[in-house]
């Protein structure tokens, strides 16, 4: 049971990460790959506060983790959202790699060995179900908040800004401030997910937030359906559940090891070939 | 579409009739051993051989009647040496397979799953990672593999006192494996009276080391100690030789690998490595073990001493379960932990005597050097 609960918690946290990334890249059209670093900022802030300021309540630590991610996102957005496309991609990648190097080389973050001894906060047999409730609730809230944002008039403005920025600006709207707001909301949610991750798993290391993590969250969004409210939910669930399901096939070790990668890659390719706009993105091309 | 095997009806019938008797002959419920290792990814070369070695141990224990009449079954799950995958694997061991203990290796993995072991009161035994931090990960985390303080300290002292080297350059990988071990080497060598003339780190993903090596050359050391991983140590040594650094190199057990000699050729001559398990000359069981590898797998294992520990872990499990069996205590994480502390001394077939001292183990360190393209014994440090 604990195994399934942990998998469900992980899926819920990745739903938050993927859904918030979908807001930034799918709805906002901002080509950034640095989303996992905001997850890391939230996780490290929460983890460090829980270790060094134990009198602070867990909720406050998670909120402060979110706030740190928002501040970092505004700093990145302010300097790099003036550019778009490839330039934004490179700027975000540089931000991610630079910050990871900093985390790796600072002693108080645990360096490359990672931050351990994060207090568990909730103890006892109900720990797993309670965390699942919290993380599942947070994931649901994030998806619904994003859906509410994009379905309303503000969402239509976001779509207009993404599809035709010049015309949008000509109508007197401030594209830059809208980009910063979308970016801050998305990164804040990722930071919150990072805080919950730190509390549940009690260990974080810089290697978890590398470029591979960016590729994974991008795959979740694209596979599920970029620019659809529930696409990232499907993407995150599939990408995390399939590799686990494969281990239950009880194949011999020499077959299992390569098969895990091959089956997983094949499934992703088949989905993308049959439904290029993602599983929930209709039969058309991606937006 | 379904496919069926074309077996004669009689064979199927005979199989169906015999099957229950075969199952009954195998006896009681099996004792399951969990091993979370990297079976894919960059560390798979080691991880797969570790699992294979443990599988050999399981086969031998089963052939000798199992543990207290129960067969042993190995459940190996892939971690890719990544913390998140390791967490999933260990949760599966505990939640699905209901294992009271499990084995793992690689420092980030051992650390990442430690909170689960402590929280769920399941015994975690490290059998390959050497970060000194492992000794402080909690009540349910133990090591059967000596941590860096064992071989690195002895090697640093040997370099100063026996080899007479006074100026050493330390080059280390910037991760759990390198940082603490490099500091240990530096502190021990300096305390012995030597001088560290260069203390340089490199990124785990680096493939180019010219800048670091030019600084090392300028420092003019008597010897160079490299503390990295098997993927980068050969590259560092090869680039050292290209840049004209001819000094003797020392490293630790990760560099005790036939692959490294194949890659480096003459550039490896004089290399000193440590081994934390006895070799062919020290234990008569090691030669047949290596022969078995050649016969069954077609080659010697990657990281021979590490695989000796993996093989022996099955015998450690045997000793723990037999202790509990004598007392009539069921196997839980807590009872196995108590058994580990009560038995304390284990006489293992391939690695010899192992004494648990708190959350550490001390072992004899075997030094080897490369001569004419082969590892040969250099010294034994007790």
């Amino acid at each position: 049971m604990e195994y399934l609960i942990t998998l469900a918690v992980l899926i819920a946290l990745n739903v938050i990460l993927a859904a918030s990334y979908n807001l930034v890249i799918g709805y906002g059209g901002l080509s950034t790959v640095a989303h996992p670093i905001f997850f890391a900022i939230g996780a490290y802030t929460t983890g460090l506060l829980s270790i060094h300021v134990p009198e602070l309540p867990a909720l406050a630590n998670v909120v402060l983790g979110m706030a740190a991610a928002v501040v970092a996102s505004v700093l990145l957005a302010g300097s790099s959202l003036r550019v778009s496309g490839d330039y934004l991609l490179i700027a975000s990648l540089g931000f991610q790699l630079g910050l990871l190097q900093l985390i790796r080389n600072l002693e108080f973050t645990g360096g490359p060995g990672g931050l351990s001894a994060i207090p568990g906060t909730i103890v006892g047999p109900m720990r797993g179900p309670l965390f699942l409730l919290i993380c599942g609730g947070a994931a649901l809230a994030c998806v619904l908040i994003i859906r509410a944002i994009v379905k309303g008039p503000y969402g239509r403005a976001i779509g207009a800004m993404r599809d035709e920025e010049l015309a949008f600006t000509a109508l007197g709207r401030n594209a830059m401030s809208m980009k910063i707001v979308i970016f801050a909301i998305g990164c804040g949610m990722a930071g919150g997910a990072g805080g919950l991750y730190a509390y549940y798993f009690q260990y974080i290391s810089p290697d978890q937030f590398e470029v591979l993590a960016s590729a994974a969250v991008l795959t979740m969004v694209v596979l599920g359906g970029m620019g659809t409210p529930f696409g990232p939910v499907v993407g995150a669930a599939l990408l995390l559940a399939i590799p686990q399901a494969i281990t239950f096939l009880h194949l011999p070790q020499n077959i299992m090891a390569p098969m895990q990668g091959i089956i997983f890659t094949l499934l992703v390719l088949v989905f993308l070939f049959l439904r290029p706009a993602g599983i929930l993105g209709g039969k058309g091309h991606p937006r | 579409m379904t496919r069926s095997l074309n077996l004669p009806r009689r064979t199927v019938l005979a199989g169906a009739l015999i099957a229950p008797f075969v199952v009954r002959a195998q006896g009681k419920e099996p004792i399951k051993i969990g091993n979370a290792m990297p079976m894919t990814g960059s560390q798979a070369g080691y991880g797969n051989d570790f699992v294979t070695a443990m599988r050999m141990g399981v086969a031998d224990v089963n052939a000798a009647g199992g543990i207290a009449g129960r067969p042993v079954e190995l459940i190996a799950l892939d971690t890719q040496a990544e913390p998140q995958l390791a967490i999933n694997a260990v949760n599966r061991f505990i939640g699905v397979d209901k294992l009271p203990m499990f084995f793992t290796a690689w420092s980030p993995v051992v650390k990442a799953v430690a909170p689960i072991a402590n929280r769920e009161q399941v015994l975690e035994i490290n059998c390959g990672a050497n970060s000194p931090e492992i000794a402080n990960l909690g009540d349910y985390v133990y090591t059967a593999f000596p941590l860096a303080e064992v071989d690195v300290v002895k090697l640093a002292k040997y370099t100063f006192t026996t080899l007479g080297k006074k100026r050493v350059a330390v080059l280390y990988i910037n991760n759990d494996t390198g940082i603490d071990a490099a500091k240990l080497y530096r502190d021990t060598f300096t305390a012995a009276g030597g001088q560290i003339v260069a203390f340089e780190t490199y990124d785990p993903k680096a493939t180019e080391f010219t800048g670091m090596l030019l600084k090392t050359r300028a420092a003019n050391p008597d010897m160079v100690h490299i503390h990295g991983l098997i993927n980068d140590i050969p590259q560092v040594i090869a680039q050292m030789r290209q840049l004209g650094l001819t000094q003797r190199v020392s490293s630790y057990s990760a560099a005790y690998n036939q692959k490294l000699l194949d890659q480096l050729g003459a550039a490896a001559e004089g290399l000193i490595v440590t081994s934390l398990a006895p070799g062919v000359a020290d234990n008569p069981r090691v030669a047949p073990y290596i022969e078995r590898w050649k016969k069954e797998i077609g080659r010697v294992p990657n990281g021979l001493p590490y695989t000796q520990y993996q093989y022996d872990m099955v015998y450690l499990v045997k000793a723990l379960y037999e202790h509990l069996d004598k007392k009539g205590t069921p196997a839980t994480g807590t009872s196995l932990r108590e058994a580990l502390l009560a038995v304390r001394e284990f006489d293992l077939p391939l690695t010899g005597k192992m004494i648990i001292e708190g959350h550490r183990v001390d072992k004899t360190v075997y030094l080897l050097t490369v001569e004419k393209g082969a590892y040969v014994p250099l010294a034994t440090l007790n």
Side-chain angles (χ1 to χ4, degrees):
Chain A
M1 194 63 184
E2 189 64 30
Y3 168 69
L4 290 176
I5 287 173
T6 302
L7 189 61
V9 167
L10 196 61
I11 289 173
L13 294 176
N14 276 277
V15 164
I16 301 175
L17 191 65
S20 57
Y21 188 46
N22 188 33
L23 175 68
V24 174
I25 194 169
Y27 291 109
L30 306 172
S31 313
T32 160
V33 289
H35 213 58
I37 198 65
F38 299 103
F39 187 83
I41 291 169
Y44 270 97
T45 307
T46 305
L48 287 168
L49 284 171
S50 65
I51 293 169
H52 299 294
V53 196
E55 58 273 19
L56 270 180
L59 180 64
N61 287 338
V62 175
V63 171
L64 286 169
M66 282 178 79
V70 168
V71 171
S73 72
V74 172
L75 287 174
L76 174 66
S79 58
S80 61
L81 284 182
R82 292 174 198 284
V83 294
S84 58
D86 299 346
Y87 297 100
L88 177 58
L89 196 79
I90 292 163
S92 65
L93 186 63
F95 181 74
Q96 181 180 13
L97 297 180
L99 210 57
L100 281 175
Q101 277 301 324
L102 201 64
I103 292 170
R104 258 195 202 99
N105 290 290
L106 289 173
E107 203 138 306
F108 73 91
T109 59
L115 189 66
S116 51
I118 299 170
T121 307
I122 302 171
V123 288
M126 289 308 286
R127 181 181 188 270
L130 274 175
F131 259 106
L132 180 57
L133 203 67
I134 294 166
C135 297
L140 185 68
C142 282
V143 172
L144 293 179
I145 289 169
I146 291 168
R147 187 168 176 266
I149 291 172
V150 298
K151 290 289 174 198
Y154 195 70
R156 285 194 289 278
I158 292 172
M161 185 269 297
R162 177 195 63 204
D163 294 337
E164 198 51 75
E165 191 176 334
L166 198 61
F168 181 76
T169 314
L171 288 171
R173 299 296 297 263
N174 188 340
M176 183 66 182
S177 70
M178 183 171 272
K179 284 182 188 177
I180 291 176
V181 169
I182 297 168
F183 203 53
I185 294 171
C187 296
M189 286 177 175
L196 292 172
Y197 182 96
Y199 269 126
Y200 186 73
F201 291 101
Q202 298 175 265
Y203 172 81
I204 41 175
S205 82
D207 291 345
Q208 292 169 271
F209 313 106
E210 275 282 2
V211 180
L212 264 178
S214 303
V217 70
L218 180 64
T219 312
M220 286 173 195
V221 173
V222 173
L223 184 70
M226 192 183 276
T228 62
F230 297 104
V233 180
V234 176
L238 275 180
L239 255 80
L240 291 166
I242 289 172
Q244 291 303 311
I246 291 169
T247 64
F248 283 93
L249 293 177
H250 297 296
L251 298 168
Q253 175 203 338
N254 57 343
I255 297 174
M256 170 74 87
M259 281 308 280
Q260 239 177 315
I262 291 168
I263 294 174
F264 179 73
T265 312
L266 270 177
L267 277 173
V268 171
L269 286 175
V270 165
F271 274 127
L272 290 182
F273 182 73
L274 296 176
R275 297 187 74 88
I279 295 166
L280 298 187
K283 287 191 173 175
H285 289 287
R287 294 168 84 173
Chain B
M1 195 179 80
T2 56
R3 286 195 304 173
S4 60
L5 289 171
N6 291 322
L7 292 174
R9 237 182 260 174
R10 273 182 207 165
T11 312
V12 175
L13 186 64
L17 289 170
I18 289 167
F21 298 100
V22 173
V23 170
R24 206 173 301 160
Q26 283 177 346
K28 304 170 192 172
E29 197 187 333
I31 289 171
K32 293 176 182 172
I33 300 179
N35 199 7
M37 290 289 153
M39 292 188 283
T40 58
S42 63
Q43 304 298 313
Y46 268 111
N48 279 313
D49 282 9
F50 286 13
V51 173
T52 303
M54 191 174 273
R55 210 173 286 285
M56 287 177 179
V58 167
D60 288 356
V61 166
N62 279 337
I67 299 174
R70 293 167 67 183
V72 184
E73 188 183 313
L74 174 63
I75 305 173
L77 291 178
D78 186 18
T79 66
Q80 291 185 10
E82 300 272 352
Q84 189 56 61
L85 291 179
I87 287 168
N88 294 346
V90 167
N91 273 316
R92 195 186 134 172
F93 283 153
I94 299 169
V96 179
D97 301 306
K98 310 287 179 202
L99 304 186
M101 72 180 290
F102 65 90
F103 295 95
T104 192
W106 275 262
S107 300
V109 165
V110 176
K111 286 164 75 174
V113 300
I116 307 172
N118 291 319
R119 199 170 55 231
E120 301 293 330
Q121 298 185 330
V122 167
L123 185 61
E124 173 186 357
I125 295 187
N126 160 50
C127 50
N130 70 350
S131 167
E133 271 188 70
I134 289 169
N136 308 312
L137 291 179
D139 289 345
Y140 281 82
V141 185
Y142 286 84
T143 185
F145 190 80
L147 304 180
E149 54 222 10
V150 176
D151 58 343
V152 169
V153 166
K154 287 174 182 169
L155 175 65
K157 284 179 182 167
Y158 178 85
T159 303
F160 182 80
T161 52
T162 309
L163 295 180
K165 305 291 183 188
K166 307 295 179 211
R167 295 161 54 84
V168 167
V170 177
L171 314 178
Y172 64 98
I173 191 166
N174 189 21
N175 68 11
D176 256 4
T177 302
I179 296 171
D180 292 329
K183 283 179 188 167
L184 265 175
Y185 188 100
R186 180 191 62 191
D187 296 345
T188 311
F189 192 74
T190 312
Q195 188 189 356
I196 299 295
V197 293
F199 193 69
E200 299 290 330
T201 182
Y202 57 87
D203 191 85
K205 291 188 181 71
T207 52
E208 217 290 314
F209 309 96
T210 306
M212 174 183 81
L213 293 174
L214 288 176
K215 279 170 80 178
T216 306
R217 192 170 70 180
N220 194 25
D222 298 334
M223 192 157 164
V224 177
H225 177 74
I226 303 173
H227 215 97
L229 291 172
I230 190 56
N231 294 342
D232 47 76
I233 293 172
Q235 295 179 47
V236 177
I237 297 175
Q239 288 185 29
M240 266 183 70
R241 301 304 185 220
Q242 284 164 11
L243 290 169
L245 279 101
T246 54
Q247 287 90 342
R248 196 169 192 181
V249 175
S250 69
S251 190
Y252 70 115
S253 48
Y256 180 27
N257 195 332
Q258 185 57 42
K259 257 190 184 174
L260 180 139
L261 299 189
D262 299 341
Q263 284 172 296
L264 283 175
E269 283 298 301
L271 170 70
I272 296 172
V273 298
T274 65
S275 170
L276 291 155
V280 174
D282 313 296
N283 182 344
R285 289 176 174 144
V286 178
Y289 171 73
I290 296 171
E291 282 310 311
R292 181 179 180 179
W293 265 87
K294 286 180 185 168
K295 194 178 161 194
E296 290 182 18
I297 314 294
R299 58 174 171 81
V300 294
N302 290 320
L304 171 66
Y306 292 93
T307 67
Q308 289 173 241
Y309 278 89
Q310 293 287 327
Y311 178 92
D312 278 357
M313 287 308 99
V314 188
Y315 289 86
L316 181 127
V317 173
K318 188 172 186 277
L320 297 182
Y321 272 83
E322 282 174 351
H323 177 83
L324 292 182
D325 209 47
K326 271 183 206 158
K327 289 175 66 183
T329 312
T332 63
T334 306
S335 65
L336 283 165
R337 176 180 174 270
E338 282 163 6
L340 184 80
L341 298 176
V343 178
R344 215 177 141 253
E345 278 190 36
F346 299 87
D347 200 11
L348 302 171
L350 292 181
T351 56
K353 186 171 275 189
M354 185 182 84
I355 303 170
I356 302 282
E357 289 171 353
H359 289 265
R360 292 179 169 85
V361 285
D362 197 5
K363 294 287 282 186
T364 300
V365 176
Y366 302 89
L367 290 190
L368 298 105
T369 189
V370 178
E371 268 180 31
K372 295 176 186 165
Y375 292 103
V376 292
L378 178 68
T380 302
L381 310 176
N382 288 307

